[in-house]
């Protein structure tokens, strides 16, 4: 015996229709509840600290202000750029393209990668001394030791301030670690400037040893001269002066490096498809622009707090609201501010 079907059970087509309607309603409720699925945005997370901080500053804004989930893919520059070109990665916040100009031009020419312009102004590198050598530091009872020290050519006059403990007949210049390309450049500069008569070029062996030599001298208020660069946590904490060199000339640089280092532009880049899948995010990234001082300050904070780039990003957002709020619409700024207030 068959029981008589009743109600909508006799109409399986209606059940299918109702299922579809329910799914649509649930989807709408999810949208209202803020759970709308937006495509994930993956950052190319390079191996240096400043890039990791900028990734997380932008990532926090994108996640909490625009509603996209974010992820960070660690890697070296060229493999990350290849991933950016293929679409496996959507954003890179620090592209030092001066170091790989041929590859960079090829990526741009392919049309798969788009340059979004500068993140922060050209990053300097060169020969530094503690500023107290020139101006003194009254708070620490340090008088000026080299008041006329302005350029590399002045080092010959003051070499005896930097006496090498292993050879007191010459000053000690702290070079970049051997193996870095700039180590060879600095040695050639020393000869071109005629300073090899007055200084021995010292290889610290590692960045840690270079940092330690500078920090120790600075804490003791002693002279120090050597190669350094920005942005770094050290320049975020210490008051240092970059010694002047003859203005950069491509011809002179190619000849013997006898001039200032060339500028190092630091740009942002995206996979070109992001412009169509998340145009509002791209608009934000185009406006994203910081400074060397801000970046160095965030690096200093990161160094003091267990080298956590996420903490440094939160610190940056909390300390520079007047900067980042210029990059986004008011409603996005409100959501990001609320998310920041909830971070312990």
């Amino acid at each position: 015996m068959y029981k008589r079907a009743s109600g909508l059970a006799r109409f399986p087509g209606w059940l299918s229709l109702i299922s579809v309607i329910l799914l649509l309603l649930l989807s709408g409720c999810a949208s209202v509840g803020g759970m709308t699925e937006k495509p994930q945005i993956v950052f190319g997370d390079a191996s240096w600290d400043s890039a990791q901080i900028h990734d997380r500053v932008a990532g926090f804004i994108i996640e909490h202000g625009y509603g996209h989930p974010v992820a960070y893919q660690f890697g070296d520059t060229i493999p990350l750029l290849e991933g950016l070109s293929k679409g496996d990665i959507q954003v890179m916040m620090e592209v030092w393209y001066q170091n790989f100009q041929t590859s960079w031009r090829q990526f741009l020419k392919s049309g798969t990668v788009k340059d979004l312009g500068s993140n922060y102004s050209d990053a300097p590198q060169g020969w530094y001394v503690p500023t107290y050598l020139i101006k003194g530091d009254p708070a620490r009872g340090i008088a000026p030791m080299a008041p006329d020290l302005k350029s590399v050519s002045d080092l010959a006059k003051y070499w005896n301030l930097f006496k090498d403990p292993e050879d007191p007949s010459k000053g000690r210049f702290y070079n970049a670690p051997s193996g870095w390309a700039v180590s060879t450049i600095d040695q050639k500069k020393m000869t071109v400037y005629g300073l090899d008569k007055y200084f021995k070029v010292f290889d610290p062996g590692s960045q840690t040893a270079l940092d330690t030599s500078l920090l120790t001298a600075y804490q003791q208020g002693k002279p120090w001269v050597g190669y350094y660069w920005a942005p770094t946590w050290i320049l975020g904490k210490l008051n240092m002066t970059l010694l002047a060199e003859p203005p950069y000339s491509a011809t002179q640089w190619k000849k013997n490096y006898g001039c200032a280092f060339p500028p190092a532009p630091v740009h942002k880049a995206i996979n070109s498809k992001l412009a169509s899948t998340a145009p509002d995010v791209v608009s934000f990234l185009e406006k994203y622009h910081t400074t060397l001082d801000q970046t160095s300050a965030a690096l200093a904070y990161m160094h003091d707090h267990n080298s956590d780039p996420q903490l440094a990003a939160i610190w940056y957002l909390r300390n520079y609201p007047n900067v980042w709020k210029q990059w986004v619409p008011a409603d996005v700024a409100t959501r990001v501010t609320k998310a920041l207030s909830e971070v312990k």
Side-chain angles (χ1 to χ4, degrees), residues 43-126:
F43 286 80
D45 213 28
S47 60
W48 56 92
D49 293 342
S50 58
Q52 293 181 5
I53 291 174
H54 283 295
D55 286 347
R56 283 154 185 80
V57 170
F60 192 94
I61 291 173
I62 290 171
E63 181 175 6
H64 297 285
Y66 292 93
H68 288 265
V70 299
Y72 305 96
Q73 177 64 52
F74 183 81
D76 293 325
T77 299
I78 297 302
L80 289 178
L81 280 169
E82 289 172 348
L84 190 71
S85 178
K86 294 175 182 177
D88 299 328
I89 293 168
Q90 283 73 49
V91 182
M92 288 184 68
M93 294 302 293
E94 281 198 17
V95 179
W96 294 61
Y97 66 85
Q98 191 84 5
N99 298 334
F100 43 88
Q101 294 183 50
T102 301
S103 298
W104 179 239
R105 286 193 293 268
Q106 290 173 348
F107 283 123
L108 294 180
K109 187 176 181 179
S110 72
T112 57
V113 172
K114 184 178 180 181
D115 185 344
L116 293 190
S118 173
N119 180 332
Y120 49 81
S121 302
D122 294 346
Q125 58 183 321

Side-chain angles (χ1 to χ4, degrees), residues 225-342:
V225 62
Y227 169 81
Y228 221 79
W229 69 99
T232 53
W233 68 266
I234 278 190
L235 294 190
K237 292 177 72 72
L238 309 185
N239 188 357
M240 302 289 290
T241 293
L242 176 63
L243 297 176
E245 296 182 66
Y248 171 73
S249 159
T251 301
Q252 188 68 34
W253 184 263
K254 187 175 181 179
K255 179 181 178 182
N256 59 16
Y257 303 111
C259 61
F261 283 85
V266 182
H267 280 206
K268 306 153 295 181
I270 61 168
N271 177 271
S272 297
K273 291 182 179 178
L274 192 64
S276 58
T277 59
D280 51 352
V281 169
V282 174
S283 177
F284 148 62
L285 291 172
E286 287 175 333
K287 295 182 179 75
Y288 188 111
H289 185 77
T290 61
T291 68
L292 283 168
D293 287 345
Q294 292 167 11
T295 302
S296 289
L299 286 164
Y301 182 89
M302 178 176 169
H303 174 264
D304 292 342
H305 292 79
N306 301 318
S307 298
D308 187 331
Q310 183 67 26
L311 285 179
I314 297 298
W315 177 89
Y316 181 93
L317 289 164
R318 285 175 171 166
N319 281 269
Y320 296 103
N322 293 336
V323 175
W324 66 262
K325 286 183 179 180
Q326 297 179 40
W327 307 334
V328 298
D331 60 325
V332 172
T334 299
R335 289 192 289 272
V336 173
T337 300
K338 182 177 183 297
L340 283 171
S341 70
E342 295 170 352

Side-chain angles (χ1 to χ4, degrees), residues 2 4 17 107 128 132 143 165 193 220 257 272 297 314:
Y2 290 101
R4 184 179 177 186
L17 180 59
F107 283 123
Y128 282 84
Y132 59 72
Y193 293 145
Q220 297 175 357
Y257 303 111
S272 297
I314 297 298

Side-chain angles (χ1 to χ4, degrees), residues 163-170 172 200 202:
K163 284 185 179 179
D164 189 318
E166 297 174 3
D167 181 3
S169 68
K170 289 188 175 182
R172 171 175 285 190
K200 291 190 70 173
F202 179 77

Side-chain angles (χ1 to χ4, degrees), residues 5-38:
S6 63
L8 292 175
R10 290 174 293 170
F11 304 100
W14 279 102
L15 290 175
S16 298
L17 180 59
I18 290 172
S19 297
V20 171
I21 292 172
L22 285 172
L23 286 172
L24 289 172
L25 287 172
L26 287 172
S27 176
C29 290
S31 176
V32 172
M35 297 186 293
T36 302
E37 285 294 330
K38 290 189 176 182

